[in-house]
Amino acid sequence: MTEYRRLRVALLGAGAVGSQVADLLRKHADELADRAGAALDLVGIAVRDPDAPREVDLPRELFTTDAEQLIIGADIVIELMGGIEPARTYILQALNSGADVVTANKALLASHGPEIFDAADQVGASVYYEAAAAGAIPIIRPLRDSLAGDRVQRIMGIVNGTTNYILDRMDREGSEFADVLADAQALGYAESDPTADIEGYDAAQKAAILASLAFHTAVPLTAVHREGITHVDKWVMDAARHAGYVVKLLAVCERIVGGTPGEHGGDAISVRVYPALVPREHPLASVRGANNAVFVQAEAAGNLMFYGAGAGGVQTASAVLGDVVSAARRHIAGGVGVGESTRANLPVLPIGRVTTRYQITLEVSDEPGVLATVAGILSDGRVSIATVEQTVLTHGNGDPGVARIVIGTHRALEQDLSETVDRLAASGVVGRVVSVLRVEGD
Ligand code: NAP
């Protein structure tokens, strides 16, 4: 048997992901040593309660509540506690003591990424975070390494499994949002407090991480435009299906060529999360259940799609262990760490300066001239109509009935569109703006 140098691996957290990482590190120790070129000794696991029941059997003597002590002398620290503090403090401590860090903590990286990457740069250490976006799916390395010689133009990601599960069931079963959410909670697909998922916060964190890598620019979480899926109802789903679309919560990261004309005339970027209409023939439309997928368009590579499990303890552990092997190899070889390139430093545009296509659904009174008034307001607002479909909902008894108009637009500036929608709502002919959805991927 090959005698390898031994590396001390400290694990912070033994929950859904951490317990699986600990288990696989122990079960596959020989194989991992051969691949890493170093024996990976799990020297301890920091948790809050060492006696809490775990998903897998792990020796009690590995557990401690003293994370700081565990970090001292570690070569690789795996942070799987989640949250901002104390994870941030422990990661900085680990880097400052010369350890490489592996983490799956999207919340921390999206809010404190630059601080952590700077700390790693200062000491020549590395931070690996393949599991921080889209769980088991390899997407961080492809963006950071494989596509480092290309120019990414656009990323569209289904990066939140819970919302995809809900939207997929609504689409397939014709069910209402609240019913599917309750079911998803009962089945464990959604948390008892689902806010982070259904309001798009989780997807926004991942969007910030992906955009930072893709565009070599530190994208703060505050620059990500975010909308959730709570207003997507059965009617919106039915209308989408009828028009040949499916509704998906998308993280869109886009390079806007010449997006800063008044300033340097250079490119800009937009990073946004919202429910969007995706054509049924687009590869993202076929992403079912709680799966994730990231669709990347690059100048030279063309279209690429990465697909698979976006969460799950053992699935996410796969991505974490890949990082541990990389960290071990680098630790043995020495030299500079993987580093983050943020030199492009592109401006992030506010949502108002983005252009997309839209589908606007209005409830109007079913009278002559209404459609012409609506068309006039759109045209005055520089929003050009591509398609119109009208359905009579109720026939009035002497009075005008109610009709629903679904308008597909050509590409329009978001700011023009939102001002136009406000004008429509105030026009007197529109009873209700039922929904305004962007169309992506066509
Ligand atoms: P989890 O099940 O809640 O486990 C968290 C673990 O951290 C627990 O073992 C907990 O100890 C420990 N911990 C929390 N605060 C601590 C503290 N102050 N001091 C010491 N230990 C502490 O979390 P998870 O689902 O495994 O997620 C871990 C990370 O992976 C998160 O950043 C998450 O966003 C990310 N992630 C998770 C998934 C997934 O499918 N679950 C997918 C992708 C990424 P006790 O056990 O004693 O309570």
Side-chain angles (χ1 to χ4, degrees), residues 13-18 46-49 52 54 80-83 86 90 104-106 131 135 310-313 316:
V17 185
V47 290
R48 282 177 296 214
D49 176 6
R54 303 283 156 198
L80 294 169
M81 299 188 319
Y90 292 152
N105 195 332
K106 60 216 145 206
T316 307

Side-chain angles (χ1 to χ4, degrees), residues 61-76:
E61 60 273 20
L62 281 177
F63 286 93
T64 174
T65 53
D66 193 346
E68 286 192 23
Q69 189 60 39
L70 183 61
I71 290 167
I72 296 170
D75 297 297
I76 297 171

